[in-house]
Amino acid sequence: SQDQPIDIQGIRASHDLIKGETSVVSMFRGNSSLTLSALLALSEDREGELARTLLVYEAMKSIKFRASDFLVIAAYFIAVNAREETYGHVIARTKTFYEGMKEQHKFITSADDYIFSALLALSDLEVAGTLQQLEVLHESLKLEYRHGNSIQSLSQVLILSKNTAETLARLRKLRLELKAMGLRMDKEYTLSSMGVLALLPVEEKAICQAIKEVHDCLRQHKSFGRFSVTNQEILILASALVAFD
């Protein structure tokens, strides 16, 4: 997505850096380690970015965020997208967003919502009004989609729209157009990705055609066969590539 070749040595060096700065039991060495290593490999200041990410991570844990792979990535997003002097403010907003979601949906709000909470905290959205709008969106989406946790993620994506009614209409068009192509993105793991596509300032048919082309192109490669990669997984990759483009 950065229009660069994969820097294998840079990823290895970043991975070694993470191991050198964290303990054996650290979540930084868990499932998120390769993702974080790849992100750090794109930076000209790997040591600084990792140090700031660790700083934010510990600050988030100090206010009762649970240690998890999701918290690692949430901390990274805050560390690289906020000024250091504003970390405390952004972390506090993240906590308020998360607690508000938890209050509205106790059983489906968990650590996987840390990342969206951080992204909302980094925006200029007002907390109380946004939480209220999230609930309105959630109730509306429940009428059309299944998978409660995924509906919450979809709501968190769509709340970034300036015009939610228009974006919901675009979402429906995308769903129907993709379905006609034999591609179902109204499933558990792809629902929020379809929400990202609905935010793009591009005509719906053009988006769907691009998704279809990338999907079919990836399927032609041996390592992206149906026995290796599920349809939802390949659609997540296809929608990410199309969204970046």
Side-chain angles (χ1 to χ4, degrees), residues 31-93:
N31 293 328
S32 60
S33 62
L34 187 58
T35 302
L36 185 59
S37 297
L39 290 167
L40 292 173
L42 292 166
S43 172
E44 294 180 359
D45 180 24
R46 295 170 195 165
E47 293 85 356
E49 273 193 12
L50 178 59
R52 291 188 291 275
T53 301
L54 286 164
L55 178 71
V56 173
Y57 181 82
E58 291 302 324
M60 294 181 84
K61 278 175 57 182
S62 74
I63 57 170
K64 309 299 184 193
F65 279 104
R66 287 193 299 110
S68 72
D69 296 305
F70 298 108
L71 189 62
V72 171
I73 302 303
Y76 171 82
F77 281 138
I78 293 172
V80 299
N81 289 296
R83 299 188 310 276
E84 199 162 345
E85 64 269 23
T86 66
Y87 284 169
H89 174 67
V90 176
I91 291 167
R93 273 174 55 85

Side-chain angles (χ1 to χ4, degrees), residues 96-116:
T96 307
F97 270 116
Y98 180 76
E99 292 298 335
M101 294 174 196
K102 190 82 173 172
E103 187 175 335
Q104 289 173 340
H105 298 283
K106 180 179 179 180
F107 297 109
I108 60 172
T109 303
S110 58
D112 61 347
D113 293 292
Y114 287 169
I115 296 172
F116 278 119

